[in-house]
Amino acid sequence: MNFYTNTILDNHPCFNKKASANYGRVHLPVAPNCNIQCNFCNRMYDCANENRPGVTGRVQSPDEAVEFVERLFKFRQDISVIGIAGPGDPMCDADKTLSTFEKCRSRFANTMLCLSTNGLALPEHVDDIVRLGVSHVTVTVNAVTPDIGSKVYAWVRYKNRNYYAKEGARILQECQDEGIRKLKEAGMIVKINTVAIPGVNMEHIPWIAKKAKDWQVDIMNCMAMIPVHDTPFANIQTPSREEIHHVRKSIGSTIRQMTHCGRCRADACGKLHENQKELFDDSF
């Protein structure tokens, strides 16, 4: 039996909207490298007041991350989840990610562990994720066909080789499919994140939702793309709240929708929508 079968899973603020009022999470930024290049992503930009996936003040070592959590728990009793979501892809730096999870499981046995990944390197690490007691996994899926995927991703680095266009998108999708199926076979709770990009994948999202249903994932989170300087999608306007609401409503009967996402940084700390203390604030 996995660790998380004995954990109060209703206390995860991202997977349970009611829990977000009472429980928070901490993201440990231990994984700096990434194995894909999204056309909307530039992790070089970091504003302390910006909530955007892939952003962090600095990268921690696994030991630094665990020491921070120890200090954090002296001040906060409402943190129910320790997550790793970057600032690159956690499974691209699997050694650092798994080491951090192992240390956290040893020291904070009653805290849930959560992983967010693009899924490219997921299949080869599912057994380790299960062994370490990770209970929740989020996989970002922005396309389920090579045609659309080739518009979202500039390149995919797989087994020490770069792949481009439809070939790279196909490899990513095959790995996502294999990894998510293995997670569900292992009894994991899985969320799909999808970045809604006008003119690129907005009309494709219902097909992603159908695939998510086929995977039997637990919840889907549609997020508006945030334009970032010096990226191919810098001049694409972010979808409005009304557009995102329409997308969620159109696929809500297919798969349950997350509606309270805070678009968390890789060093997020606290409840989803509170004024968060800086992760590396010296007062801790």
Side-chain angles (χ1 to χ4, degrees):
M1 181 178 293
N2 296 325
F3 169 83
Y4 57 86
T5 57
N6 293 322
T7 306
I8 303 175
L9 299 179
D10 288 344
N11 292 353
H12 195 307
C14 302
F15 286 70
N16 187 314
K17 187 174 183 178
K18 292 182 179 179
S20 67
N22 300 309
Y23 296 96
R25 79 289 182 241
V26 57
H27 286 175
L28 303 178
V30 298
N33 298 302
C34 199
N35 45 17
I36 68 174
Q37 179 60 59
C38 302
N39 284 326
F40 53 78
C41 181
N42 186 339
R43 289 176 286 117
M44 296 299 293
Y45 289 89
D46 172 26
C47 173
N49 298 314
E50 180 181 22
N51 262 19
R52 177 167 59 84
V55 171
T56 185
R58 71 175 180 88
V59 175
Q60 296 172 318
S61 70
D63 285 335
E64 288 174 328
V66 174
E67 289 173 5
F68 169 75
V69 176
E70 287 187 337
R71 296 196 302 272
L72 173 66
F73 281 4
K74 293 178 181 178
F75 293 88
R76 300 289 297 255
Q77 286 75 49
D78 60 348
I79 303 297
S80 62
V81 181
I82 297 171
I84 300 178
D89 185 79
M91 292 294 92
C92 184
D93 281 313
D95 54 342
K96 298 173 183 177
T97 295
L98 297 175
S99 174
T100 304
F101 276 143
E102 188 164 21
K103 293 173 186 293
C104 286
R105 171 56 63 234
S106 175
R107 299 197 194 187
F108 318 111
N110 295 320
T111 306
M112 288 179 284
L113 302 180
C114 182
L115 170 71
S116 181
T117 176
N118 60 43
L120 180 63
L122 182 59
E124 60 195 280
H125 296 296
V126 169
D127 290 345
D128 288 326
I129 293 168
V130 173
R131 174 181 59 82
L132 293 171
V134 175
S135 59
H136 297 68
V137 178
T138 294
V139 183
T140 298
V141 179
N142 296 320
V144 291
T145 66
D147 284 345
I148 302 299
S150 66
K151 299 176 183 178
V152 178
Y153 309 106
W155 50 259
V156 169
R157 186 163 183 79
Y158 182 67
K159 295 186 177 180
N160 298 316
R161 178 182 170 187
N162 280 11
Y163 295 87
Y164 302 88
K166 293 181 182 180
E167 186 176 16
R170 177 188 58 78
I171 291 171
L172 174 61
Q173 289 155 27
E174 289 176 353
C175 291
Q176 290 174 336
D177 181 81
E178 180 184 356
I180 293 169
R181 292 186 187 280
K182 284 185 174 180
L183 290 174
K184 292 309 299 179
E185 289 171 1
M188 286 279 184
I189 298 177
V190 178
K191 173 164 66 71
I192 296 299
N193 275 0
T194 297
V195 180
I197 312 164
V200 178
N201 73 342
M202 290 279 281
E203 296 182 358
H204 181 66
I205 291 177
W207 297 100
I208 301 176
K210 291 178 181 178
K211 190 66 176 179
K213 181 179 180 180
D214 177 59
W215 285 326
Q216 299 182 339
V217 305
D218 300 272
I219 191 169
M220 182 176 181
N221 176 28
C222 294
M223 305 181 294
M225 186 205 71
I226 303 173
V228 178
H229 292 296
D230 296 332
T231 67
F233 291 167
N235 295 320
I236 295 180
Q237 186 174 356
T238 188
S240 66
R241 289 188 178 185
E242 290 74 19
E243 288 174 312
I244 294 299
H245 175 74
H246 175 74
V247 168
R248 290 170 176 165
K249 186 176 181 180
S250 70
I251 60 178
S253 60
T254 303
I255 185 169
R256 185 163 68 98
Q257 295 294 298
M258 178 182 181
T259 60
H260 61 290
C261 178
R263 300 199 290 196
C264 303
R265 292 165 54 102
D267 58 3
C269 180
K271 295 178 182 176
L272 294 188
H273 297 287
E274 71 179 352
N275 292 324
Q276 299 172 9
K277 176 179 282 294
E278 285 265 332
L279 181 63
F280 303 106
D281 191 321
D282 290 339
S283 65
F284 273 114

